[in-house]
């Protein structure tokens, strides 16, 4: 069955006597519509009248017949890509095999005759073929000519014989890529292109055997020079490096799912690749492997260096693939991106409907705008916090809110995240952050917004998955002086990449990138070649430095251990890690490997929520955050925070290297109040505060000098009147020592005017009561907090008045914390040891407690939990708690607490041992003989800085105590063993108001 003559194009050659043809009308990729959903039709034709040697099967079950490879290669070079004229001569219908005659349309050469003339095929000898094949005679003549010439399979034997098919040389061996014996590993395949000296990669000869998806090729790698005698070929499937194409064959997500058709432009892209490389001699350069072991390579069709991927990108038949593009040399990656940009601008292929993103460099939302900003914080190696710098009347001012931005097209190693429970970050993360900190913090930069991205918030389900936040990506540059004093522009992103401290972001095709993305890739490539940072095998020199963090769960005792080391020198170098408030910071001290909380001495900024507190915090962040500073440590407060001066150097300032005091800067701008106590006249802090007052700055905006003068006069008058008032003197005995600065006492004169109401009578009446008779002894009884009741004391079994402070469970039983009203001690008792006070004894509920709280005036002693707290309490116990009679000179009294949170009447007294004087006397007592003086002299208490400011008598008492304190300080006894323990933090009046309230 013969057909008429047809025209077609040879797509590929399968063997020495078979070709695959496509219609001439569909041979060009330009004729394929974008939405084509089926591949072009093909026709496989076996050349009539001849038989070529058979190639080995791909699975290796057979071997090549002699000259089979040469036969196939001869026909491939003769016909692939050529336009031909052909007809079908015969057909085996049940097998679908077609036999035909093929002529080269350009030369008019018969393919079958050409194969016989080259000695790479022979004519069939069956009569049917001789009868039906029109050109059998020409083929036989060509075969006879080949025999005479001894070409191809008719080569002359060593004895000169001819006319018989001869064995060729060594048989071709095809190796597959994989693991195991007789295979080539993917790593070895990639190594074939590597240069031992680190130079440009080597291109290897190959033939493209088949095309799957447009960017997936199966190639046959030819033997390299010097190994041609081995005749070892390598069959490998490769992916085009740096690009991805529309898919012709899409993977099904489910076995029952219908196969999806080709994507738009997929068939056109595949036809282009087939026309360009299928069945042709090409060059391949292996670039690398992905994490699955797939081989990525570049395929070249000419000697000029234009790769197949670049050609596809320029025609809009592929898109760049960022992560695989990083395998390429920087120049190749740049050329690919340029080709893609050209296709975008021309709306070619897959970019036919492309429009620039509204979030890109030329879009809306402020993107693409250039602005001057101040870097206030470096969050990580690719994230910073900026504050806009506005120019007003020729001067730069800071305005707006701080905003967090990310470096465009750059990814630095991740730091450890407490939210993810990570204790250690990625290698080189700290080095990348430190480089940015040293280069950028406090510096004015030019910020150009490149693009924005919306990312999901959190990882929860429900509506949270729909919530997003917008991240801004920018390019930062700044000016610095280079060699010869010439100004040069520095891009920190390029600096990070050049030092191997970051990587270029692998963008998806179509995503916006940094405007200098090619320069960034060049910097990264140089770092890779020099094996710097993350691209090398060397570990970070600093490693994970161990820092003793005293800013978390610290105490005065723990901080004091480091105090001598920080006071050893005049100043200590530090870095401000975080700004807690206007006057409070977290500092890192590298030399001591310690992190501390540091508070400025003598100044306080407005507390959180108060007016101008945000201004103070903002000023401190702008001028101190992550800066290198010097500190002079004075001491440690009771909360474990170090106190002192903080000196900083403004970047680019005109101070000539002179450092400025942060406390003075705050005071001069009216952002802090100065504690004038202890400061000499003419102090820079007081002068700075006065300038702020004169200019009515911030906290002094409503300051009125006349009203302040009136307040000072009124305060002086009140102090004068209070000084004239005689202090009350009480005779008492201590009944319970609470701490080194407080105890409970019973007044000796209480109740002696009326014997029936005397303290002794009250205690006798209570002791005579039977708890069970009063309704007690019941384990199931309930008592409420604040209830006054009768309680059996476990020490002597007697009954006393007690106040229920808290109910709790102990060993499965109801128990209560009680306070004994007449003695000041506390205990935990069971319900069976309590009894309510009946109505006929209601007077017991309302009678004033015999015990009252006493706090030592003018001094502060450490709590029981602090260093020397127990020793201080023991000394007070020996001085007042042995039953001796005491003289209490009351300085002031008011509501307060000496133990726990219970509010009660507290009397602040100077305590003397009673020597028989009359009641009401006490103004002639010498404070050097007081209990306070003994405790201060032994270094177990210190003088309160805020004490003794009104009465002259109190001033004299405080002066005497300060003398004792100075002796203890010089002798380094008790609290003064490690130096100064004073602190402004704990000596300020408690409660709200002004700068001295809560922080």
């Amino acid at each position: 069955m013969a057909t008429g003559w047809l025209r077609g194009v040879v797509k590929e050659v399968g063997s020495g006597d078979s070709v695959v043809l496509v219609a001439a009308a569909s041979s060009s990729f330009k004729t394929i519509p974008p939405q084509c959903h089926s591949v072009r039709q093909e026709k496989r034709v076996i050349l009539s009248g001849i038989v070529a040697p058979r190639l080995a099967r791909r699975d290796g079950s057979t071997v090549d017949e002699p000259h089979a490879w040469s036969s196939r290669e001869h026909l491939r070079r003769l016909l692939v890509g050529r336009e031909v004229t052909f007809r079908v001569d015969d057909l085996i219908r049940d097998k679908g095999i077609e036999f035909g005659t093929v002529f080269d349309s350009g030369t008019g050469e018969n393919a079958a005759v050409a194969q016989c003339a080259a000695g790479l095929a022979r004519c069939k000898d069956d009569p049917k073929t001789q009868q039906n094949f029109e050109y059998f005679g020409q083929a036989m003549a060509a075969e006879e000519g080949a025999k005479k010439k001894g070409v191809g399979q008719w080569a002359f034997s060593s004895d000169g014989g001819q006319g018989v098919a001869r064995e060729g040389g060594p048989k071709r061996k095809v190796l597959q890529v994989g693991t195991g014996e007789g295979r080539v590993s993917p790593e070895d395949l990639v190594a074939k292109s590597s240069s031992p000296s680190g130079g440009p990669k080597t291109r290897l000869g190959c033939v493209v055997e088949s095309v799957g998806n447009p960017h997936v090729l199966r190639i046959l790698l030819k033997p390299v020079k010097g190994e041609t005698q081995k005749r070892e070929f390598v069959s490998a499937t490769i992916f085009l490096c740096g690009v991805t194409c529309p898919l012709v064959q899409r993977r099904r997500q489910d076995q029952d799912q219908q196969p999806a058709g080709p994507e738009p432009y997929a068939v056109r892209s595949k036809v282009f690749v087939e026309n360009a490389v299928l069945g042709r001699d090409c060059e391949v350069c292996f670039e690398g492997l992905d994490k699955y072991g797939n081989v990525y390579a570049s395929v070249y069709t000419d000697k000029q260096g234009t790769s197949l991927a670049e050609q596809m990108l320029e025609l809009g038949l592929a898109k760049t693939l960022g992560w695989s593009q990083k395998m390429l040399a920087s120049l190749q990656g740049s050329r690919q991106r340029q080709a893609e940009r050209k296709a975008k601008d021309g709306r070619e292929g897959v970019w036919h409907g492309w429009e620039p993103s509204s979030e890109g460099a030329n879009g809306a939302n402020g993107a693409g705008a250039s602005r001057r900003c101040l870097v206030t914080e470096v969050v990580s190696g690719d994230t910073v916090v900026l504050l806009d710098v506005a120019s007003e009347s020729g001067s730069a001012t800071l305005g707006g809110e701080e905003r967090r931005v990310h470096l465009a097209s750059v990814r630095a190693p991740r730091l450890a995240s407490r939210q993810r429970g990570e204790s250690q970050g990625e290698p080189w993360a700290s080095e990348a952050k430190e480089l940015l900190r040293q280069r950028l913090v406090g510096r004015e930069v030019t910020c150009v917004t490149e693009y924005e991205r919306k990312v999901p918030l959190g990882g929860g389900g429900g509506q949270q998955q729909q919530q997003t936040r917008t991240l801004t990506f920018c390019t930062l540059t700044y000016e610095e002086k280079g060699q010869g004093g010439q100004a040069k522009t520095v891009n920190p992103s390029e600096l990070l990449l050049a030092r191997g401290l970051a990587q270029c972001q692998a963008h998806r095709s179509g995503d916006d990138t940094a405007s200098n993305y090619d320069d960034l890739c060049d910097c990264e490539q140089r770092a890779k070649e020099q094996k710097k940072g993350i691209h090398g095998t060397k570990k970070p020199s600093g490693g994970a430095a161990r820092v003793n963090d005293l800013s978390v769960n610290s105490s005065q005792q723990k901080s004091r251990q480091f105090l001598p080391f920080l006071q050893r020198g005049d100043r200590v170098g530090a870095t401000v890690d975080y700004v807690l408030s206007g006057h409070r910071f977290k500092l890192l001290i590298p030399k001591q490997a310690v992190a501390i909380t540091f508070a400025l001495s003598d100044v306080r900024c407005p507390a959180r929520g108060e007016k101008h507190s945000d201004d103070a915090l903002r000023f401190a962040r702008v001028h101190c955050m992550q800066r290198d500073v010097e500190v002079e440590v004075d001491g440690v407060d009771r909360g474990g925070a170090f106190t002192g001066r903080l000196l900083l150097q403004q970047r680019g300032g005109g101070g000539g290297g002179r450092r400025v005091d942060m406390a003075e800067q705050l005071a001069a701008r009216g952002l802090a109040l100065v504690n004038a106590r202890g400061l000499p006249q003419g102090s820079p802090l007081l002068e700075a505060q006065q300038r702020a007052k004169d200019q009515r700055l911030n906290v002094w905006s409503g300051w009125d000098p006349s009203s302040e003068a009136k307040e000072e006069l009124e305060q002086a008058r009140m102090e004068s009147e209070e000084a004239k008032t005689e202090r009350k003197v009480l005779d008492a005995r201590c009944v319970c020592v609470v701490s080194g600065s407080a105890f409970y006492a019973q007044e000796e004169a209480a109740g002696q005017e009326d014997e029936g109401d005397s303290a002794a009578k009250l205690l006798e009446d209570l002791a005579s009561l039977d708890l069970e008779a009063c309704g007690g002894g019941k384990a199931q009884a309930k008592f409420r907090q604040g209830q006054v009741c009768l309680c059996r004391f476990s020490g002597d079994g007697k009954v006393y008045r007690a106040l229920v402070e808290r109910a709790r469970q102990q060993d499965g039983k109801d128990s209560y914390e009680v306070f004994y009203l007449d003695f000041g001690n506390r205990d935990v008792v069971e319900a069976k040891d309590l009894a309510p006070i009946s109505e006929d004894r209601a007077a017991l509920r309302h009678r004033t407690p015999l015990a009252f709280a006493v706090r030592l005036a003018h001094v502060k002693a450490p709590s029981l939990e602090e260093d020397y707290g127990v020793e201080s309490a023991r000394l007070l116990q020996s001085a007042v708690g042995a039953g001796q009679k005491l003289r209490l000179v009351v300085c002031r009294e008011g509501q307060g607490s000496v133990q726990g949170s219970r509010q009660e009447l507290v009397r602040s007294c100077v305590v003397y041992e009673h020597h028989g004087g009359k009641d009401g006397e006490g103004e002639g007592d010498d404070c050097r003989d007081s209990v306070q003086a003994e405790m201060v002299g032994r270094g177990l208490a210190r003088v309160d800085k805020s004490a003794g400011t009104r009465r002259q008598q109190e001033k004299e008492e405080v002066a005497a105590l300060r003398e004792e304190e100075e002796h203890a300080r010089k002798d380094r006894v008790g609290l003064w063993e490690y130096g100064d323990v004073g602190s402004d933090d704990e000596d300020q009046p408690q409660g709200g108001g002004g700068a001295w309230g809560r922080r």
Side-chain angles (χ1 to χ4, degrees):
M1 180 202 99
T3 65
W5 292 98
L6 305 173
R7 295 179 62 188
V9 175
V10 178
K11 173 186 171 183
E12 62 177 308
V13 173
S15 64
D17 57 4
S18 66
V19 295
V20 177
L21 304 171
V22 295
S26 63
S27 61
S28 174
F29 72 95
K30 296 181 180 180
T31 62
I32 307 298
Q35 300 294 333
C36 180
H37 295 294
S38 61
V39 295
R40 55 182 178 174
Q41 293 185 348
E42 303 173 351
K43 181 182 290 292
R44 180 176 296 273
V45 175
I46 299 176
L47 298 181
S48 299
I50 65 170
V51 176
R54 294 287 170 254
L55 288 170
R57 291 183 178 178
R58 194 179 303 164
D59 59 7
S61 59
T62 61
V63 297
D64 287 350
E65 294 181 358
H67 300 282
W69 175 250
S70 300
S71 177
R72 173 259 167 96
E73 285 295 278
H74 180 265
L75 187 60
R76 179 182 67 81
R77 293 191 179 98
L78 184 68
L79 292 184
V80 166
R82 305 279 295 178
E83 186 174 338
V84 296
T85 302
F86 72 96
R87 73 176 181 188
V88 176
D89 298 325
D90 197 4
L91 171 65
I92 303 178
R93 295 184 180 277
D94 55 344
K95 295 183 179 180
I97 299 176
E98 296 179 316
F99 297 89
T101 302
V102 178
F103 283 90
D104 187 335
S105 299
T107 63
E109 188 176 12
N110 189 313
V113 174
Q115 283 291 87
C116 291
L120 298 175
R122 58 183 179 83
C123 294
K124 295 181 180 179
D125 53 4
D126 60 289
K128 183 178 179 182
T129 301
Q130 297 176 10
Q131 181 180 358
N132 296 334
F133 184 31
E134 181 180 351
Y135 304 95
F136 183 78
Q138 297 179 19
M140 282 297 300
E143 180 180 335
E144 291 299 326
K147 289 180 181 180
K148 292 179 180 179
K149 295 177 183 178
V151 296
Q153 60 182 334
W154 312 110
F156 298 122
S157 62
S158 57
D159 58 359
Q162 66 177 34
V164 180
R166 306 292 182 185
E167 291 285 343
K171 288 186 171 58
R172 183 178 66 106
K173 184 178 182 181
V174 180
L175 304 178
Q176 302 296 326
V177 175
T179 58
E181 187 177 357
R183 290 176 175 264
V184 178
S185 68
E187 293 78 10
D188 292 341
L189 192 64
V190 173
K192 290 179 178 292
S193 290
S194 301
S195 174
S197 60
K201 293 185 177 181
T202 305
R203 298 184 189 178
L204 306 173
C206 72
V207 176
V208 177
E209 297 285 288
S210 65
V211 178
N213 282 312
H215 59 286
V216 182
L217 313 177
R218 184 168 58 82
I219 65 171
L220 192 64
L221 188 65
K222 298 178 181 179
V224 297
K225 186 179 295 185
E227 298 182 359
T228 54
Q229 296 301 321
K230 295 182 179 180
R231 293 179 62 82
E232 288 185 348
F233 295 75
V234 179
S235 178
T237 298
I238 63 169
F239 292 76
L240 294 182
C241 192
V243 298
T244 183
C245 301
L247 301 181
V248 175
Q249 304 167 1
R250 283 193 273 182
R251 184 179 301 174
R252 282 188 268 180
Q253 301 295 330
D254 190 355
Q255 294 293 335
D256 298 332
Q257 184 179 358
Q258 293 294 327
E263 295 178 344
Y265 289 95
V267 176
R268 178 182 288 190
S269 180
K270 181 174 181 178
V271 170
F272 172 80
V273 174
E274 290 177 344
N275 292 347
V277 298
L278 183 60
R280 288 168 169 79
D281 291 312
C282 301
E283 290 184 336
V284 63
C285 180
F286 298 107
E287 306 291 356
L289 305 174
D290 66 6
K291 60 182 178 180
Y292 302 108
N294 296 319
V295 180
Y296 282 76
S298 298
V299 176
Y300 298 88
T301 58
D302 54 37
K303 301 295 183 181
Q304 283 71 32
T306 303
S307 68
L308 176 64
E310 291 177 38
Q311 298 174 35
M312 298 175 69
L313 289 168
E314 190 169 345
L315 293 171
L317 301 178
K319 297 181 179 181
T320 56
L321 188 62
W323 64 266
S324 70
Q325 202 173 62
K326 297 173 71 173
M327 301 178 187
L328 299 170
S330 58
L331 180 59
Q332 290 178 268
S334 176
R335 291 172 61 176
Q336 285 191 359
R337 290 186 291 273
Q338 291 175 5
E340 184 180 53
R341 280 196 293 270
K342 183 178 179 181
K344 286 182 178 180
D345 295 340
R347 305 299 191 272
E348 299 285 349
V350 295
W351 305 109
H352 69 284
W354 176 80
E355 293 295 337
S357 172
S358 61
E359 298 178 349
N362 300 316
N365 304 326
S370 174
R371 64 186 74 188
R372 296 292 295 172
C373 300
L374 182 75
V375 180
T376 59
E377 181 183 357
V378 172
V379 180
S380 66
D382 55 13
T383 306
V384 298
V385 177
L386 302 178
L387 186 64
D388 288 344
V389 178
S391 296
E392 297 179 1
S393 302
S395 61
T397 60
L398 301 177
E401 297 293 330
E402 290 183 319
R403 56 196 182 96
R404 177 177 294 198
V405 301
H406 307 264
L407 298 183
S409 301
V410 171
R411 184 191 184 279
R414 302 292 95 178
L415 292 166
S417 172
R418 286 182 293 180
Q419 295 179 348
R420 296 192 293 266
E422 298 172 349
S423 60
Q424 196 171 13
E426 297 177 0
W428 302 98
S430 300
E431 286 74 11
K433 178 181 178 181
E434 180 63 15
L435 177 64
L436 281 191
R437 186 192 72 82
Q438 294 178 356
R439 293 281 183 157
L440 294 183
V441 169
R443 188 188 291 273
E444 285 191 18
V445 299
T446 300
C447 173
V448 178
T449 303
E450 301 284 7
Y451 55 90
E452 293 179 342
R453 293 279 188 269
K454 290 184 178 180
V455 297
L457 276 175
Q463 296 181 352
Q464 188 176 4
Q465 291 182 346
Q466 307 302 323
Q467 297 178 357
T468 61
R469 61 172 175 167
T470 301
L471 304 182
T472 303
F473 293 83
C474 303
T475 295
L476 304 181
T477 56
Y478 63 89
E479 301 289 333
E480 72 174 8
K481 290 185 178 180
Q483 295 181 354
Q486 297 291 332
K488 66 175 184 178
T489 302
V490 179
N491 187 318
S493 299
E494 296 179 3
L495 194 61
L496 284 170
L497 292 165
R499 297 194 179 184
L501 299 178
Q503 294 176 302
C504 284
Q505 187 70 39
H507 292 285
R508 292 177 298 181
S509 184
D511 285 350
D512 294 302
T513 66
S515 55
N516 62 331
Y517 188 70
D518 290 341
D519 296 334
L520 298 180
C521 293
D522 291 341
C523 293
E524 182 184 29
Q525 186 63 30
R526 289 196 298 271
K528 286 182 178 180
E529 293 171 355
Q530 299 173 16
K531 299 189 183 316
K532 289 185 176 181
I534 58 179
H535 307 297
T537 57
K538 183 181 177 181
K539 294 183 179 180
S541 57
R546 183 178 179 85
V547 176
N548 194 347
D549 195 348
L550 300 182
S551 65
V552 179
N553 299 326
S554 183
S555 65
Q556 188 182 45
Q557 177 183 1
K558 189 174 182 181
S559 296
R560 279 180 184 166
Q561 298 175 2
F562 288 85
L563 186 61
F565 302 101
L566 300 180
Q567 291 181 326
R568 183 174 298 168
D570 183 23
R571 295 176 181 175
V572 179
T575 301
V576 179
D577 185 55
Y578 196 76
V579 177
L580 303 172
S581 67
H583 67 275
R584 201 170 180 87
F585 311 89
K586 179 182 177 182
L587 303 182
L588 293 178
I589 304 179
K591 187 175 181 180
Q592 305 294 341
V594 65
I596 65 173
T597 300
F598 185 85
L600 300 178
S601 296
D602 302 319
V603 298
R604 286 295 175 270
C605 296
R608 183 180 301 173
E610 296 180 357
K611 193 174 181 180
H612 299 296
S613 63
D614 292 339
D615 297 332
L617 177 62
R618 180 190 179 115
F619 179 83
R621 277 184 57 85
V622 169
H623 293 88
C624 295
M625 185 68 179
Q626 293 186 339
R627 304 288 187 93
D628 292 325
V629 299
E630 290 183 351
V631 293
E632 297 176 359
V633 180
D634 297 335
V636 179
D637 67 13
R638 62 184 174 185
F642 293 82
T643 60
R645 298 175 65 209
L646 185 145
L647 307 174
L648 57 93
Q649 173 70 56
Q650 297 258 351
R651 185 190 295 273
R658 181 179 63 88
R659 294 186 176 271
V660 296
D661 190 340
M662 183 60 185
E664 290 183 28
Q665 299 300 311
L666 289 167
R669 287 164 175 79
L671 296 174
L673 301 180
V674 177
N675 181 14
R677 294 188 182 97
L679 291 178
Q681 292 294 328
S683 168
L685 280 176
L686 294 176
E687 292 180 355
Q689 179 172 258
Q690 189 60 45
R691 291 196 300 271
K693 286 182 177 180
D694 295 339
Q695 299 176 34
R696 308 298 195 274
L697 297 178
N698 294 316
V699 296
W700 305 111
S701 58
W703 177 68
D704 185 1
S706 60
S707 63
E708 183 173 320
K710 292 179 182 178
E711 291 177 1
E712 291 177 354
L713 291 175
E714 180 66 20
Q715 183 177 357
R717 186 187 64 80
M718 293 177 60
E719 290 180 357
S720 177
E721 292 180 356
E722 186 177 351
K724 295 177 182 178
T725 304
E726 292 186 358
R727 297 184 294 181
K728 183 167 56 174
V729 179
L730 303 176
D731 290 341
R733 296 183 189 275
C734 173
V735 292
C736 178
V737 174
V738 176
S739 66
S741 60
F743 61 90
Y744 284 91
Q746 290 181 354
E747 188 176 354
E748 277 290 295
Q752 290 188 2
E753 296 178 358
D754 185 353
E755 186 66 24
D757 292 334
S758 67
K761 178 63 175 172
L762 173 64
L763 296 177
E764 288 177 4
D765 292 344
L766 289 172
S768 64
L769 295 176
D770 181 73
L771 193 69
E772 284 73 12
C774 295
K778 300 178 181 178
Q780 304 300 324
K782 301 293 183 181
F783 299 88
R784 68 181 184 276
Q785 183 177 349
Q787 180 179 353
V788 178
C789 57
L790 302 177
C791 179
R792 181 189 293 120
F793 182 52
S794 58
D796 56 10
K798 295 182 180 181
V799 177
Y800 300 94
R801 292 190 300 166
L803 176 72
V804 177
E805 292 190 323
R806 190 164 70 95
R808 67 180 190 179
Q809 285 282 332
Q810 185 175 9
D811 299 331
K813 301 178 181 179
D814 291 336
S815 59
Y816 299 89
E817 295 180 7
V818 297
F819 171 72
Y820 292 98
L821 296 173
D822 300 319
F823 291 89
N825 57 322
R826 287 173 165 78
D827 197 6
V828 179
V829 299
E830 296 181 7
K832 63 183 181 61
D833 294 322
L834 294 174
I837 298 177
S838 59
E839 290 300 325
D840 57 340
R841 298 188 180 90
L844 293 177
R845 283 200 297 268
H846 305 295
R847 179 162 180 171
T848 304
L850 299 181
F852 60 90
V854 178
R855 180 181 287 119
L856 299 183
H858 310 323
V859 299
K860 283 183 175 292
S863 65
L864 295 176
E865 293 78 15
E866 297 176 330
D867 287 348
Y868 297 101
V870 175
E871 290 83 350
S872 178
R874 287 175 179 170
L875 178 58
L876 183 61
Q877 174 71 27
S878 65
V880 303
Q884 61 268 51
K885 191 174 181 180
L886 305 174
R887 290 173 56 79
L888 307 180
V889 180
V890 182
C891 298
R892 61 186 61 84
E893 59 184 19
Q895 291 294 316
S897 61
V898 297
Q899 189 177 16
S901 59
R902 178 174 171 267
Q903 294 292 309
E904 57 186 321
L905 178 66
V906 180
R907 289 169 174 159
S908 182
C909 305
V910 180
V911 182
Y912 300 91
E913 189 174 350
H914 198 283
H915 295 294
K918 296 181 180 180
D919 294 347
E921 297 178 358
E923 296 302 320
D925 291 321
D926 189 349
C927 190
R928 295 180 180 86
D929 299 328
S930 66
V931 173
Q932 279 95 324
E934 181 179 3
M935 297 187 67
V936 171
R938 294 193 183 186
L940 296 178
R942 63 182 180 86
V943 180
D944 189 347
K945 290 183 179 181
S946 62
T949 58
R950 295 186 177 180
R951 293 187 178 93
Q952 181 62 31
Q953 178 88 14
E954 292 181 2
K955 293 180 179 179
E956 294 175 358
E957 290 170 349
V958 171
L961 292 176
R962 290 195 188 280
E963 292 180 6
E964 296 292 334
E965 183 182 62
E966 190 61 29
H967 292 313
R969 190 196 303 266
K970 290 181 179 179
D971 295 339
R972 296 292 185 185
V973 296
L975 296 170
W976 312 105
E977 180 180 2
Y978 299 108
D980 191 3
V981 296
S983 170
D984 294 330
D985 272 358
E986 52 188 304
D987 290 332
Q988 305 306 331
Q990 298 299 312
W996 321 115
R998 56 186 171 81
R999 292 187 294 276

